[in-house]
Amino acid sequence: MPRLRLKRYLITGLLTFLPLWVTFLVFKFVFGLLANLGAPLVSGFVAVLNLWAPQTAAELDQSWTINIMALVLTLIALYIIGFFANWVIGQRLLHAFDTLLQRIPLVQTIYGGTKKLTTVLQNKPSGLQRVVLVDFPRRGMKVVGFVTRTMMEEGTGREMAAVYIPTTPNPTGGYLEVVPLDELTPTDWTMDQAMAFIISGGAVAPDTLPASPSASRADINEDRA
């Protein structure tokens, strides 16, 4: 009995701690990424401040202080960019910046592809559900995917969909599949619901899932028979 009780308490403690740990890892990744963006500017500021106020610079020249200042600086910069992006002048400046980057061969490929992906995921397509279920890695196993675009297959004329499949619990990595459109299972999920489902490992999910097209066709055939 004591051994069973010890095992049960350990498992209960692990299951209680796991959501906090996953949340911490996700926030650590995001905040670390944002802090790394502003860290060079903060380090440069501290180096310049060292010429005029060495004591103050020495107090600020700490890793945790630089990270916090870099995070705040990055958030302020993102807010300013978003603020100006909603105004006509800001949109023109961003368009000019995009045009400049489009002329650099390697940068154009990376920057242009990433921007198209973010734009596609932000806007819901007309006549096509963005969040779908895909048979992956084999038929009978379903994963959540995001449709990024549709294409036509030469020869057969089948309509194909490019589907991005994110990983759990970090959705920034994943796979890209080209799947026939009739093999996708459309859902009525929003992007927020899909991301919550992926990050939580399926814990945050609706009680029901839509039936796959193959299962729906099988039910229709059985009813006809």
Side-chain angles (χ1 to χ4, degrees):
M1 290 297 295
R3 293 183 59 185
L4 293 177
R5 189 175 303 167
L6 176 62
K7 182 178 180 180
R8 183 179 64 192
Y9 288 165
L10 287 176
I11 294 176
T12 303
L14 176 62
L15 295 178
T16 304
F17 176 73
L18 187 59
L20 298 176
W21 178 246
V22 172
T23 303
F24 169 75
L25 290 179
V26 173
F27 274 87
K28 181 182 178 181
F29 172 78
V30 175
F31 288 152
L33 180 62
L34 295 176
N36 289 334
L37 292 176
L41 293 178
V42 175
S43 299
F45 170 76
V46 173
V48 174
L49 184 63
N50 187 46
L51 300 175
W52 305 97
Q55 184 176 357
T56 304
E59 294 177 355
L60 295 178
D61 194 11
Q62 306 292 332
S63 59
W64 65 271
T65 307
I66 292 178
N67 289 334
I68 293 177
M69 294 175 62
L71 175 62
V72 173
L73 178 63
T74 304
L75 292 177
I76 293 175
L78 292 176
Y79 177 82
I80 294 175
I81 293 174
F83 176 80
F84 278 103
N86 289 320
W87 292 84
V88 177
I89 297 179
Q91 292 177 358
R92 291 179 179 176
L93 291 176
L94 290 177
H95 178 71
F97 181 72
D98 291 343
T99 304
L100 176 63
L101 293 181
Q102 293 291 337
R103 297 179 179 179
I104 306 176
L106 183 58
V107 175
Q108 183 272 338
T109 303
I110 301 174
Y111 175 78
T114 305
K115 185 171 183 179
K116 288 180 181 178
L117 175 61
T118 56
T119 302
V120 163
L121 294 180
Q122 287 177 354
N123 301 323
K124 183 177 179 181
S126 57
L128 181 66
Q129 292 295 330
R130 175 71 67 208
V131 183
V132 296
L133 299 180
V134 189
D135 288 318
F136 181 82
R138 62 173 177 82
R139 186 172 296 277
M141 299 179 66
K142 299 289 185 181
V143 295
V144 176
F146 303 133
V147 176
T148 57
R149 65 165 301 174
T150 58
M151 300 163 285
M152 195 67 64
E153 188 178 47
E154 294 183 358
T156 62
R158 291 192 307 173
E159 196 171 5
M160 310 292 288
V163 184
Y164 172 67
I165 301 174
T167 55
T168 299
N170 181 9
T172 58
Y175 306 91
L176 177 64
E177 283 197 341
V178 179
V179 187
L181 200 62
D182 56 1
E183 294 184 9
L184 298 177
T185 303
T187 71
D188 57 355
W189 295 5
T190 63
M191 287 292 297
D192 293 340
Q193 291 174 326
M195 294 301 293
F197 177 78
I198 294 169
I199 294 176
S200 68
V204 180
D207 296 330
T208 59
L209 289 175
S212 61
S214 58
S216 300
R217 288 193 293 267
D219 292 340
I220 293 175
N221 293 334
E222 289 180 1
D223 293 339
R224 290 179 179 178

